[in-house]
Every structure is written in structure tokens, then in C-alpha cells.
Amino acid sequence: MIFKDLRSSGPLLAGAFAVLLGLSAPAADASVSYSFTTTTGNAAAQSYLAPGGTPVTLSAWSNGGAGGTMVQGSLSFWGSSGVGVNNGFGSSTDPSEGVSPEHAIDNNGLTDGVLLNFGVGNLFKMNSFSIGWFDSDADIVVLAYTGAGTPALGSSTLSGLLSSGWSGKKYSDVNSLGTNVAVNTALSLSSQYWLVLAYNSAFAGLSSGLGSSYGAGNDAFKFNGVTGNLTSTSSNISVPLPATTALLGVGALAFWRRRYQRQNS
């Protein structure tokens, strides 16, 4: 009887009643675009905002740790060209690191990559990425973390990534498309964490999202943007907050109850 009268009072009251019964508010799904072209200099990490206000934090990594494990380095920023990596290892480990073209994300010596963290509660589906500079070649690997919990990046090798929750595709000769061109990822993965790396033979078994000619040692590029869909339950995307919706529901139900009582008194 109550649900029948509630339906007759309109969809707003029915929706409010559903919220009060404990159904969760729908997550926001927004199309977003991030540009990594607004900074210069160096930093351990850097956050960028999409027009909708949801930040992504970038950090630099390479496989220079003991046994080839991943170690955090420094981001280098190159204005409109985008983001590079200085992995911090000297000439004995990675000769010429920090000097062009190894001021970019490269695989000459160590293999560099950039981690994207979209924050707790946010799932990003990367539809495309772009580079703003390259030298010689740009074979690129894009991975999403779909494992449980937080990825233990600092204790993994490159090959170990693929057995610890990371998956994705490789892209050959991205430079042939030119700079500032959106490269379709052809991925259906959503994750809080993404990795964009220079190619390494550890990823030879990945399926190809572009091209077929892969090699390591001469790839160098600067990463300058991504587009995709962000699903979030946070307040950074403009949808009603669960608490706000519940308060509206309480008020609507109080109004309905008073009206119902008057009609039946």
C-alpha cells in the first residue's frame, strides 16, 4: 500500500525512498581530458586537474633497483612537449641519463615509465594517449592495474608486473603518427592506476594496439596527455552527494507522510 501511494506521489519521492532504504547513489561517469604540458623543471610527483576538477598524480619510475625492481625517480617537465623521466641513476648504471634524448621516457639502459594515480574511489578508462616529442623511435607500453589493493610497484620487476595484476597493450612506432595525435588505446580496462612506459622485451607477449615492429634501446618520448572516462563516487564530479540526496529524501518522505495522514484522518 505504501509503495502504491508513493508511486502516485511522483518519481522524486520513490527515488528518495529507495535511497533511505540503503541503495547507494549512482557513480558519476564523466569524459575527461588531461594535459601534462603546463609545468617545467623537475619534481618527484606532480598533480594535474581535468576540467571537471578531478586530479591525477604522476610519478616517475624505472627498473634500476636490486634485481631489476622498480624504483621511483624524478619527473622532468618540458612545457608543451610534456613529461619525461630522470631516473636518478648515474653513468655506471644508465649512461647519459638526463641528457637528451634520455631526458625523456626512454629505454636506453634502464626502462622508464610514468605512473598515473587517479585517487581512491576513481576508476579511469584510458581511451587515448599522446606524445609531444620523440627521438628516433617511440615504442610504448600502456598498462592498467586490475589486481587487488594497492600495487606494490617498488617490489616488482618489469616482467613481474604482468603476473601481479597489471595488463594492457604495446604500441609500435607511435612517432609515425606525429606529435600531439590521440593514439587509440583499444583497451576496455578501468583502473585507479595506469603505467605508461618505454617498450621492453619483458612485454613482448602483450597484444599490439598499434603496429608490429618492436625493439628496445632507441625509444624516447615525452608524454603529454590522456583522454578517457572517469567513474567516481567522489564529490569531484558534479553529481548529488549521497548525504545530500538522503536529506532531500527525508524531507520528501516527511511531506508525503503528513499529506497521507491528513487524507486518512
Side-chain angles (χ1 to χ4, degrees):
M1 180 65 181
I2 292 177
F3 279 100
K4 179 179 178 182
D5 293 331
L6 190 58
R7 288 195 299 269
S8 67
S9 299
L12 175 62
L13 294 180
F17 195 77
V19 170
L20 291 179
L21 286 177
L23 300 180
S24 60
D29 191 351
S31 178
V32 292
S33 178
Y34 294 87
S35 176
F36 310 132
T37 62
T38 58
T39 47
T40 57
N42 299 274
Q46 178 71 26
S47 293
Y48 293 86
L49 286 175
T54 301
V56 59
T57 301
L58 274 57
S59 56
W61 295 79
S62 70
N63 62 330
T69 54
M70 303 293 287
V71 176
Q72 188 171 353
S74 295
L75 296 167
S76 57
F77 308 105
W78 300 93
S80 61
S81 292
V83 175
V85 168
N86 187 333
N87 59 47
F89 287 91
S91 58
S92 61
T93 302
D94 195 351
S96 301
E97 177 64 14
V99 179
S100 181
E102 293 189 53
H103 58 337
I105 302 169
D106 71 85
N107 55 15
N108 187 349
L110 298 178
T111 297
D112 301 328
V114 171
L115 175 70
L116 291 77
N117 182 353
F118 289 87
V120 176
N122 298 321
L123 296 176
F124 182 69
K125 177 182 178 294
M126 188 187 298
N127 295 328
S128 70
F129 66 90
S130 60
I131 63 174
W133 179 93
F134 65 89
D135 181 81
S136 183
D137 197 13
D139 296 341
I140 298 173
V141 171
V142 175
L143 302 176
Y145 181 71
T146 56
T150 303
L153 197 59
S155 61
S156 179
T157 62
L158 291 177
S159 58
L161 293 173
L162 301 182
S163 59
S164 58
W166 293 89
S167 57
K169 290 190 175 184
K170 56 188 179 181
Y171 305 83
S172 172
D173 301 331
V174 172
N175 52 289
S176 65
L177 302 178
T179 57
N180 303 308
V181 174
V183 181
N184 181 14
T185 62
L187 289 170
S188 58
L189 302 171
S190 294
S191 177
Q192 176 184 337
Y193 301 98
W194 288 80
L195 266 172
V196 177
L197 310 104
Y199 178 75
N200 185 285
S201 59
F203 305 117
L206 290 177
S207 60
S208 179
L210 177 71
S212 59
S213 177
Y214 292 90
N218 64 338
D219 299 291
F221 64 94
K222 293 168 185 172
F223 176 43
N224 74 348
V226 293
T227 66
N229 295 93
L230 189 69
T231 302
S232 175
T233 56
S234 73
S235 60
N236 292 325
I237 298 180
S238 298
V239 293
L241 291 171
T244 303
T245 306
L247 288 174
L248 289 173
V250 169
L253 281 173
F255 173 81
W256 170 83
R257 182 179 181 183
R258 183 187 304 174
R259 181 179 177 185
Y260 181 81
Q261 289 174 339
R262 285 177 179 176
Q263 290 175 345
N264 291 273
S265 62

